[in-house]
Amino acid sequence: MQQVTLTLPMIPNMELTASTTAGALGEHIGMAQDKVEEVQMAVVEACINAFEHSRSKVREVQVQLLVLGADEDPEGLEITVADDGIGFDPADVAERKDGTELAKLKRGHGLKIIRSLMDEVTIRSSATGTRVTMRKLR
Amino acid sequence: MQQVTLTLPMIPNMELTASTTAGALGEHIGMAQDKVEEVQMAVVEACINAFEHSRSKVREVQVQLLVLGADEDPEGLEITVADDGIGFDPADVAERKDGTELAKLKRGHGLKIIRSLMDEVTIRSSATGTRVTMRKLR
Amino acid sequence: MTESLKLTVDEERGDLVVIYTEGYINNQGGEEIANVAYELIEKGHTTLLLNLAQTKIVNSIGISILIEIIERMLLIDGKLAFCCLTPTIEKTFNIMGLAQYAGMYSDEETAIEALT
Amino acid sequence: MTESLKLTVDEERGDLVVIYTEGYINNQGGEEIANVAYELIEKGHTTLLLNLAQTKIVNSIGISILIEIIERMLLIDGKLAFCCLTPTIEKTFNIMGLAQYAGMYSDEETAIEALT
Ligand SMILES: Nc1ncnc2c1ncn2[C@@H]1O[C@H](COP(=O)(O)OP(=O)(O)O)[C@@H](O)[C@H]1O
Ligand SMILES: Nc1ncnc2c1ncn2[C@@H]1O[C@H](COP(=O)(O)OP(=O)(O)O)[C@@H](O)[C@H]1O
C-alpha cells in the first residue's frame, strides 16, 4: 500500500508540499491530469483552512495521502488533512447572506470547492481538532 | 526552530515534494530566489541518488529541512537526505575515464551538482545507509 | 520552481490592458495583481484582461482578492476578464460563482475580440 | 501543477526547429524530448533549439538524455542549442560541462540569429 504522511508547519506555501505530493501520487497511479489537478486544488484548500482557521497550538498540519485499492490496480487517492485546532461545526457553516451579492462571493468557499472537486468528503471536527478526509477515484 | 521532516516513498517525482518544501522554507526566510532554486536543484539530486542507487529495502527516503539560526534572524537552510540503503564510498566516486569525451559527461554528476550549488556538503555513508547533509546560507 | 507570482503587463493594446500571471495565485499573489490593477485603474484603464496561461494553481484566498478587483471595476463601469484558465481553475471560478461577474475566455484572441 | 513535461514544436523557422518545453525535465521528460528530436532528425532537420523558458527544474538524469541528443547531433554534423534557461539551470549545465558542446543563449532571438 502506497502511503505518504507529511507533517507540515503552518507557513506560507507549505500547502504546495501537500499538492506536489498529491500530484506525484496521482500521476503514479495513472490518474488523468485534470483529475489530479482537482485533487491538488482540494488539498490546497483543506490545508489553508487549517492554516487560517484552526488556531492550532503546534502550528502544524498532518497530511496523509493514501493510494486506494491494490498496488497493481490502484483505484484512486484518499487524502486526510488534520489539525489539532479548535474545530468547528460543519453543519453550521451557512451561506453568508450579508453584503452585496458580489461581496458575498468573497469568502466561505473552501469547503464548497473541496466538496465539488472530490468524489467523497468527510469532515470530523471537535474541540480538539479537525480532520477532512477526501477521496477521488481514478 | 522551523523544521520539516518528510518520509517519502521512492516513486517518480516524489523528489519534487522535497524541492517544493525547500522552496517554501527558503522564501519564508527571505532567501533570494536564485539561491532557493539552487537549493531545490541540489535536493532533487540528493533524492534521486537515493532513489536510484541506494537499493533501500523500505523504498523510502527521509528528508529533513531545517532553518538555521534564530527564528527572528534565520541564517540559511540545512537539508539532510537519508536512506537506509547499501551505501557507497564517496572518496571512491572517481571521474569516469571511459568512452568519448562527451559520453563521459553523461552520468556521475549528481554529487558534483550538489557540491557546486550548496555552501557546505557532508556525506556519511556506510553499509546501513547514506546521509547527505547540505547547507546554504541566506 | 519557487512559486511566487510573476506579473507582466502589456499596455500596448489600446483600451485593453493584458496582465500575464506566472505562478501561484495565493493571498500574496492576489494582492500583487490587485496592486497592479489599481495602478492601471488610476491611470484611467477600465478594461483589464488577466491571462492565466502560466498559472497552474490558485487558492480561494487569492481568488477572493480578484473578486475585490471585480467589485472595484463594477463601481467604475469597467471590466475584469480572464483567459487561458486550466480546466480546474475554470471549474473553481465557476464553483465560486465568478462567471456572472467576469468574462472567461479560452484564449487571448477570443477575449480581446469580445472585450474591444 | 502536475509536473509532466509538455512539448510544443515550431517547424516554421526555416532550417531551425524550436522545441518549447514546459515543466520538469526528468528521465521521462528527457526521453520525450529525445523522441521528438530523433523524429525531427529523421525528417532531415539538423539544427534544433530547445527553449526552456517554461522549465524551472531539471535533474541530472534528464540532462544526461539531452547529452545523448547532442551526441547524435554531432554525428550528423548538426547542432542542439538552448535558450531561456533559469540561472540555476544554466549553472547546472555548466557544472556538467555542457557549454562546450551546446550553445546557450539568453533569449530566443539571439539564439536564432546565432544559429541561422
Ligand atoms: N480546519 C478548520 N478549523 C477550524 N475551523 C474551520 C476549519 N476549516 C473550516 N473552518 C470554518 O469553516 C468556515 C468555512 O470555511 P470555508 O468554506 O473554507 O471558507 P473560508 O475559509 O473562506 O472561510 C471557516 O470560516 C471556519 O470558520
Ligand atoms: N544514496 C546513495 N546510495 C548508494 N550509492 C550512492 C548514493 N548516492 C550516490 N551513490 C553512488 O555514487 C555514484 C555517483 O553519484 P552521482 O555523482 O550522483 O552520479 P550518478 O547518479 O549520475 O551516478 C553513484 O553512481 C552511486 O554509485
Side-chain angles (χ1 to χ4, degrees):
Chain A
M1 197 182 57
Q2 292 284 11
Q3 170 178 344
V4 192
T5 306
L6 308 169
T7 303
L8 304 177
M10 295 180 170
I11 68 175
N13 291 347
M14 209 40 90
E15 68 277 16
L16 295 178
T17 292
S19 80
T20 301
T21 311
L25 277 179
E27 271 187 53
H28 182 61
I29 65 166
M31 190 179 263
Q33 179 168 335
D34 284 359
K35 286 197 177 190
V36 174
E37 290 182 4
E38 289 172 13
V39 173
Q40 293 183 298
M41 184 83 75
V43 170
V44 162
E45 290 298 322
C47 288
I48 61 173
N49 264 353
F51 292 11
E52 278 239 303
H53 301 302
S54 74
R55 297 192 220 160
S56 154
K57 287 266 164 40
V58 294
R59 306 295 303 152
E60 278 181 355
V61 68
Q62 288 265 355
V63 183
Q64 189 190 56
L65 304 101
L66 200 70
V67 175
L68 297 170
D71 275 4
E72 328 77 64
D73 184 25
E75 288 165 12
L77 293 179
E78 178 181 291
I79 299 172
T80 300
V81 176
D83 64 64
D84 68 339
I86 55 164
F88 71 109
D89 182 353
D92 234 35
V93 178
E95 300 263 310
R96 284 160 208 204
K97 294 265 155 51
D98 49 296
T100 69
E101 283 303 305
L102 184 57
K104 233 169 53 179
L105 293 186
K106 257 187 273 180
R107 297 303 304 276
H109 283 287
L111 296 174
K112 191 155 77 180
I113 291 169
I114 294 169
R115 289 205 175 95
S116 305
L117 296 180
M118 300 297 283
D119 293 338
E120 215 184 299
V121 179
T122 316
I123 301 174
R124 273 184 294 163
S125 191
S126 73
T128 58
T130 300
R131 293 174 71 83
V132 178
T133 300
M134 42 205 171
R135 285 172 169 233
K136 191 165 187 107
L137 298 184
R138 199 157 66 91
Chain B
M1 196 183 56
Q2 291 285 10
Q3 170 179 342
V4 191
T5 306
L6 308 170
T7 304
L8 303 177
M10 295 180 171
I11 69 175
N13 291 348
M14 208 40 90
E15 69 276 16
L16 295 178
T17 292
S19 81
T20 301
T21 311
L25 277 179
E27 271 186 54
H28 182 61
I29 65 167
M31 189 179 265
Q33 178 169 336
D34 284 359
K35 286 197 177 191
V36 173
E37 290 181 4
E38 289 173 12
V39 173
Q40 291 183 298
M41 184 83 75
V43 169
V44 161
E45 290 298 322
C47 287
I48 62 173
N49 264 353
F51 291 11
E52 279 238 302
H53 301 303
S54 73
R55 297 193 220 160
S56 154
K57 286 265 164 43
V58 295
R59 306 296 303 152
E60 279 180 353
V61 67
Q62 288 265 357
V63 183
Q64 190 190 54
L65 305 100
L66 199 71
V67 175
L68 297 171
D71 275 4
E72 329 75 63
D73 185 25
E75 286 165 12
L77 293 178
E78 177 181 292
I79 299 172
T80 300
V81 176
D83 63 63
D84 68 340
I86 56 165
F88 72 109
D89 182 353
D92 234 34
V93 178
E95 301 261 310
R96 287 162 205 203
K97 294 263 154 53
D98 49 296
T100 67
E101 284 302 307
L102 184 57
K104 231 169 55 180
L105 293 185
K106 258 188 273 181
R107 297 302 304 274
H109 283 286
L111 295 173
K112 191 156 77 181
I113 291 170
I114 294 169
R115 289 204 175 94
S116 305
L117 296 180
M118 301 297 284
D119 292 339
E120 214 184 301
V121 179
T122 317
I123 301 174
R124 273 183 295 163
S125 192
S126 73
T128 59
T130 301
R131 293 174 70 84
V132 177
T133 300
M134 41 204 172
R135 286 170 170 235
K136 191 162 187 110
L137 299 184
R138 202 155 65 90
Chain C
M1 242 329 250
T2 52
E3 292 292 343
S4 61
L5 192 69
K6 275 171 215 71
L7 297 178
T8 321
V9 179
D10 182 357
E11 294 187 58
E12 313 287 304
R13 300 288 190 141
D15 281 347
L16 179 77
V17 179
V18 187
I19 305 173
Y20 298 87
T21 64
E22 183 179 340
Y24 183 25
I25 303 183
N26 55 6
N27 52 342
Q28 193 192 318
E31 266 155 32
E32 278 168 44
I33 296 172
N35 289 340
V36 168
Y38 296 153
E39 241 173 61
L40 290 167
I41 292 173
E42 290 278 295
K43 281 198 202 168
H45 294 288
T46 55
T47 312
L48 305 183
L49 174 63
L50 266 178
N51 183 326
L52 303 188
Q54 298 307 325
T55 284
K56 306 301 176 194
I57 191 142
V58 303
N59 73 30
S60 61
I61 308 180
I63 303 176
S64 71
I65 298 169
L66 300 184
I67 294 176
E68 284 171 20
I69 309 176
I70 297 175
E71 285 186 302
R72 179 87 81 99
M73 274 300 187
L74 293 181
L75 285 178
I76 60 161
D77 250 351
K79 246 186 256 174
L80 177 68
F82 299 91
C83 73
C84 310
L85 299 86
T86 70
T88 302
I89 293 178
E90 187 171 345
K91 221 171 188 172
T92 305
F93 278 26
N94 283 324
I95 294 166
M96 292 184 67
L98 263 182
Q100 39 182 325
Y101 299 102
M104 291 194 253
Y105 303 94
S106 58
D107 54 80
E108 190 173 303
E109 214 171 276
T110 318
I112 289 174
E113 246 169 57
L115 293 169
T116 53
Chain D
M1 241 332 247
T2 52
E3 291 293 343
S4 61
L5 192 70
K6 276 170 215 71
L7 296 178
T8 321
V9 180
D10 183 357
E11 293 188 59
E12 313 287 303
R13 299 289 190 141
D15 282 346
L16 179 77
V17 179
V18 187
I19 305 173
Y20 298 87
T21 65
E22 183 178 338
Y24 183 26
I25 304 183
N26 54 6
N27 51 343
Q28 193 192 316
E31 265 155 33
E32 278 167 44
I33 295 171
N35 289 341
V36 167
Y38 297 153
E39 242 172 63
L40 290 166
I41 293 171
E42 289 279 295
K43 281 198 202 168
H45 293 288
T46 54
T47 312
L48 305 183
L49 174 63
L50 266 177
N51 182 327
L52 302 188
Q54 299 307 326
T55 284
K56 305 302 176 194
I57 190 142
V58 302
N59 72 31
S60 61
I61 307 180
I63 303 175
S64 71
I65 297 169
L66 301 184
I67 294 175
E68 284 171 20
I69 308 175
I70 298 174
E71 285 185 304
R72 180 87 81 98
M73 275 300 188
L74 292 182
L75 286 178
I76 60 162
D77 250 351
K79 246 185 254 171
L80 177 67
F82 299 90
C83 73
C84 310
L85 299 85
T86 70
T88 303
I89 293 178
E90 186 171 346
K91 220 171 190 173
T92 306
F93 279 24
N94 282 324
I95 294 167
M96 292 184 67
L98 263 182
Q100 38 182 327
Y101 298 101
M104 290 195 253
Y105 304 93
S106 57
D107 54 80
E108 189 174 302
E109 212 171 277
T110 318
I112 289 175
E113 245 169 58
L115 293 169
T116 53

